[in-house]
Amino acid sequence: MWLKPEEVLLKNALKLWVTQKSSCYFILQRRRGHGEGGGRLTGRLVGALDAVLDSSARVAPFRILLQVPGYQVYSPIACGATLEEINQHWDWLEQNLLHTLSVFDNKEDIASFVKGKVKALIAEETSSRLAKQEEEPEKFREALVKFEARFNFPEAEKLITYYSCCCWKGRVPRQGWLYLSINHLSFYSFFLGKELKLVVPWVDIQKLEKTSNVFLTATIRITTHRKERDFSMFLNLEEVFMLMEQLADVTLRRLLDNEGFDLDPDLQEPSRITKRDLEARAQNEFFRAFFRLPRQEKLHAVVDCSLWTPFSRCHTFGRLFASDSYICFASKEDGSCNVILPLREVVSIEKMEDTSLLPNPIIVSIRSKMAFQFIGLKNRDDLVQSLLIRLKQVHTDHPVHYDTSQDDDMTSHVFHSTSMCSDHKFGDLEMVSSQNREGSEEEKSPRPPSKALRAVLQRSGSQSLDLRMSREQIKLSLWNDHFVEYGRTVCMFRTEKVRKLVAMGIPESLRGRLWLLFSDAITDLASHPGYYANLVEESMGKCCLVTEEIERDLHRSLPEHPAFQNETGIAALRRVLTAYAHHNPNIGYCQSMNILTSVLLLYAKEEEAFWLLVAVCERMLPDYFNRRIIGAQVDQSVFEELIKEHLPELAEHLKDPSALASISLSWFLTLFLSIMPLESAVNIVDCFFYDGIKTIFQLGLAVLDANAEDLRSSKDDGQALMVISRFLDHIKNEDSPGPPVGSHHACSSNDQGPYPVIDIADLIWDSYEKFGAQSVEQIEHMRCRHRVRVLQGHEDTTKQNVLRIVTPEVSFLLEDLEEIYDLFKREHMMSCYWEQPRPLAPRHDPSRPYAEQYRIDAQQFTHLFQLVSPWTCGVHTKILAERMFRLLDDNMDHLIEFKAFVICLDIMYHGEMNEKIKLLYRLHIPPAFTENDLDSQSPLKNPLLSTSRPLVFGDSADYQKQLKQMIKDLAKEKNKTEAELPQMSQREFIQFCKTLFSMFHEDPEENNLYRAIATVTTLLLQIGEVGQQSSSPGSCSQEGEGELLASVPSPEQDSVFVDSDEGIVSQDSQAFPEEAEGDWTISLEHILASLLTEQSLVNFFEKPLDIKSRLENAKINQYSLKTFEMSSQSQPELRQKSSLLRR
C-alpha cells in the first residue's frame, strides 16, 4: 500500500533493513528476518521482535523509499506484506515516475512532486475503496464542492467521478485532479505556485486514445480541433479510459446523432447518469454485441459459474448473463462454448441440492427436451427468483406450445406460438389485399410461395446429382451428427466445431433455418405471429418516396439470378422491403437492403426473410441502414485501424488508408454479396450469421493480404480497385450444388491470361487462421472510439460547407469566421447541456441542410450579441439584441441560422456608414420594433441632452439655408430609392435616439459625440415638424419650400429639452401633441443626411473595428455569462420557495 511520506534517516535503519533494488530516486528494502532461509543472529532477533509485537505495531516486511541524491533524509512511500505486492508498486514507479523526474532541475522539486503524487494516490485509493463499499460519500461531496468552486459550472453539470493524475504541458507534468462530468472533462492543478485550469467539452473531442510518450508508457491523449492533451499516472488507467470512452460516446450520441438519440432512452436523461451506470452501459453493450441480441435487451446480472457440457463430459468455466428475455453463457476461453437460451424456450428453472462436487447448482430445462446444468453460482437464491419472475412475464406476454411435427428441412422438433400455423409456412397466410383493391395491385402482389425461392426453382429444374451434390450430402450428414450431440434449436451449444462446420459452408437445405437460429430471428418470428401479414396488408398499395425508391431498385437486385427474372421473386422482394419500411420508418429503405433481402429470399421463406432482415438491420449491423450510414462508416474506420495493425507495410504504402473506403465500404454494406459471385458470397453470409461483423473484418484483411504485393505496386486508386475486383470476381465455390451466378457489380478486366481461381473455403479458413484473434470486446472498444471520429468528421464537413456558403457574402477572415461559427455552435450546445429542451430550440438535426443544422433562439442570440457585437449599449444592449433577432427572423419561426447571424455581424464590423445607419434604422421600425419592448425610461433623460439654450449650427440665416438645401437634396434622393423603407414615427425616433446615445457611452470621443448627436437630434425634430405641417410630407416642391421653411421655428425659438422642478421632461408633449403624433415622421434619408453633417459621428461609424479581441474575450466569458444567467434565474425561484416555506 502507498504510505504518507515521512522523513527517516537511513543510517539508523541499516541493521534492520536490507536493500533489494535501487535506482536513482527509489530504494526497495526487505526487513531482516523475513524471507531468509536460515538467517543470522541479527535477522533472528528482528524477526522475533516483529513476532512478539502487537499487530498494530508490526512493521511490513517490504518498503520503498524515496531518495534524493545528496540528501541523508529519506521518505518511505510504499510498503507491502509480500514481495509480489511491493514489486507491483515498484513497477508502477518505474513506468510512471522514474523517467519523469529527470525533467526537474531542482532536487527539492523532485521530492515535492513525488510526495504530492503519492498523497494523491493514497487519496484516490481511499476514494475508490469507499466508493466500492458505499460507506462514506463525504469524500465525493468534498470533491464536488471543489469542482463547483473551481470551474463555476451550473448545478446541472453533474460530476460523475474524479481522479488524481498528471497533465503534460510540453515536457513538464502538472500534478492535479481530473474531473469527469456529464458534458466536460476538466483538470485543475495548483503546483509550485501556478494554477492551471482546463475545460474540454466532450462534444469537442475528436480523438481519444491510449498512447505513450518519451517519459511514460501509458498515457491517455485527448485530441480536440487545435490541441492535444496528455494525461498520465493514473492508478487504474483502464478504468479511466473506459469511462472517458463512455462519456464521450454518450454525449456525442445525445447531441450530434439524432437517430441514435431516439433509439437509446438512457441518452435522454443525462442528469441521471452515474459512474455505475456508465460501467453497466459498457457491459450491456458488450453483452448485446457478443450475443447479437435486440437493442432494447437490458442486462440484469453477470455471474461466474460453470456449465456442464456433455460433448466434453466436464464443466466449462465461464459467465452467465441474465437479461430481460435471455439466459446466456460464455466460456472464459474464447470460442470454447457459448449458449443462448431465450426465456420463451425455457420450461423450468430449478435449484438442485448443494454438494461439494456440485456447489449451488441450478437446472434450466427447455422445450426441446434438453437441460442445462450451471454450478458455482453466487447468490443463487436471488438469481433464481429474479429469473423465475422474468420467465413468468415472458410466458404471459408470448404463450407457446410444443409441437412435435417434423420440419421439412431439419427433421427436428420446432417450437411455435399458440396462434401460429404448425409449420411456419407463410403460404398458409392469406396476403391478398382487401376486395376493394384495384386489379392492377392484385396482379402486382400474387400469392407468395410457401417455400424459399431457391426451393421453388429446384422443383421446376430437377437437376441430376453430381459430384457437388455428393459433397452437399456429406455436409448434411456432418450437420445431422452435430445436431444429435450439440442440439438442433436456437439453444444449441455453439463451439469451435460449429464454427468449422460453418466455415466449410452450410448445406443449401439447412442454410435458411440455420441463419434463423444463429441470428435468433426465429425467436422474433415465433413471438410475433401474424405480424408480417398485417404489415403487408397495411403497406402494400401505398405510394410514398420510400416505395418509389424500392420500385426503382427491384429489378437491380440480383438481375442475373433466375429467381428475380419473373414476377414471383420481384413481388416477394417488394413485399418484404415495403413491409420493413413500414415496420421501421426510422430506417425505411436504404440502398443495398435490396441485394441483402434478395439473398435472404433465396434460402428462407418470405416471413422468415423479413425477420432475418430485421435481425441484420437492427441488431447485427446497427446504424448501417440510415441516412448517414454512421455504423458502416464507423466499421470502415475500425477496418483502417486493423489494416495498420495487421498489415503495416501495406498501410504505409497506401499512406491514406481511407482511400480503400471506395473499395471496401460495399463489403460491409452488402456482406460481399455485390462484389463476389453469389455461390461464394453466401458462404461469407453463413459465417456472418454465426460470428457477426468480425467475419467481415477478417475477410477484408484476408483479401488485402492476398493482394498485398499487387496493391503495393499499384500506381493509383484505380489500379488498386482493378486488382481487388479481379481477385474477388475469381473466387469460386467448388462445393456449391447450384449453377454459378456472377457478381453483377464486379468490375470487368481485360485479362491477358487466365487468372487463378481461389476457393472461398480456403479464403475463409485463411481469414480465421491469420486474423481471427480479434475479440468482440476489442471490436466494440474500437467502435466506441471511432464513432467519436466519424461523428466529428460529419461535424467538420458541416462546418466547412457552412463556411463555404457564407464566406463570399461577408468580409471576415476565414479564421475569424471559424471562431464565430464555433461560438455559435457552442451557444447552441450550452443550452443542450444545462437547460430543459425548449420547443423553440430543437436539437441538432443532421438531416437538415448544412446551413440549417444549428439554429439558435432569441435567448441564445442575445448572449452571442452581448459577447461579439461592437454595438454595446449597456443595459440597452439586451433590448437591441431582441430587436435584431426579430429583424433577422424573417420566417417567424423564432429561430435564426448562422448565415443570418454572421451577415448582420459583418455589417456592424465592416459595413459602410449608410449600411450601418440603415440597419439601425430597421431596428427601430416594425417588425423589429414593437410596443412591448419600449423602455419605461425616457430616452432623452441624459443630462448632456438637457439644456435650456438652443442648439444651432451658426447664425439664423445659415441655419435656414442648410435646412432648405437638405430638404431639396432628400427629395431628389428619394426618387432614386428602389425599395423604400417605412418612415419612422416620433415614438420610434425617440428609441432610435436612445440607442445612439447608449452606443457612445465610454467612447474616447464621448463628449463630442453627445454634442453632435444632440445637434442632429434637434435638426431632425425640426425636419419632422416641417413634414408634419406639410400636406405632402414625403416630398417638397420648389414652390412650397418657402412656405415650409416659414413654418420652421428659428434657432432662437428652439428649445427641445427644458428643465423642470420635477426633473428633466421632454417637450414632445407640447411641440408634438398626442393627437398629431401619428403624422410626425422622419425617413432614413433625413437621418442619414443629418448624421453626415457631423464629422465626429461620421468618424464613429466609419472607424475600423477589429473582432479578434472580442472573439478572444467571448471564448473566455461565454461559459461564465451562461452560468451567471442561470444562477440569476434560479435566485427568484429560490426566494419564492423560501417565502412559501415561511408561510
Side-chain angles (χ1 to χ4, degrees), residues 76 182 204 270 342 344 356 385 549 566 624 665 727 789 883 1047 1068 1085:
I182 56 175
D204 287 352
R344 73 179 315 277
S356 58
Q385 183 179 1
E549 293 178 358
N566 56 68
Y624 263 58
L665 186 59
F727 175 85
R789 300 185 191 182
R883 293 174 184 165
S1047 64
D1068 56 1
E1085 291 78 10

Side-chain angles (χ1 to χ4, degrees), residues 181-193:
S181 56
I182 56 175
N183 298 303
H184 300 86
L185 178 150
S186 309
F187 178 81
Y188 179 84
S189 172
F190 189 83
F191 185 65
L192 301 179

Side-chain angles (χ1 to χ4, degrees), residues 201-206 225 252 255-256 791-799 817-833 844 853-856 860 864 897-898 901 1118-1119:
W202 294 115
V203 77
D204 287 352
I205 292 178
Q206 296 186 326
H225 182 59
L252 264 69
L255 299 176
L256 302 182
L791 288 174
Q792 291 291 10
H794 281 273
E795 288 300 297
D796 291 340
T797 301
T798 299
K799 179 178 178 179
L817 202 57
E818 289 181 349
E819 294 283 357
I820 298 171
Y821 180 90
D822 291 340
L823 288 171
F824 188 90
K825 177 181 174 181
R826 191 176 299 121
E827 188 64 40
H828 170 89
M829 289 299 176
M830 284 194 298
S831 296
C832 298
Y833 292 161
H844 168 60
Q853 288 191 15
Y854 288 106
R855 297 180 294 170
I856 57 176
Q860 297 162 348
L864 281 180
E897 57 196 47
F898 176 73
F901 172 75
Q1118 192 172 19
Y1119 271 84

Side-chain angles (χ1 to χ4, degrees), residues 5-12 25 27 63 65-76 107 111 115:
E6 295 178 355
E7 296 180 347
V8 297
L9 289 175
L10 189 61
K11 65 179 182 180
N12 294 334
Y25 301 100
I27 298 175
R63 71 177 183 178
L65 301 175
L66 166 67
Q67 64 161 2
V68 179
Y71 282 71
Q72 293 296 321
V73 179
Y74 292 72
S75 301
K107 296 179 180 178
K115 290 178 181 179

Side-chain angles (χ1 to χ4, degrees), residues 1041-1099:
E1041 287 177 8
E1043 183 180 353
L1044 287 174
L1045 290 175
S1047 64
V1048 175
S1050 65
E1052 291 78 2
Q1053 298 172 339
D1054 181 22
S1055 181
V1056 181
F1057 310 110
V1058 295
D1059 292 329
S1060 66
D1061 295 338
E1062 297 179 356
I1064 304 167
V1065 181
S1066 174
Q1067 196 182 346
D1068 56 1
S1069 61
Q1070 302 171 8
F1072 309 103
E1074 189 72 27
E1075 60 270 11
E1077 185 175 327
D1079 299 327
W1080 191 99
T1081 58
I1082 201 79
S1083 68
L1084 172 63
E1085 291 78 10
H1086 288 115
I1087 294 175
L1088 183 59
S1090 302
L1091 292 174
L1092 289 172
T1093 61
E1094 292 293 331
Q1095 188 61 41
S1096 58
L1097 295 177
V1098 174
N1099 293 341

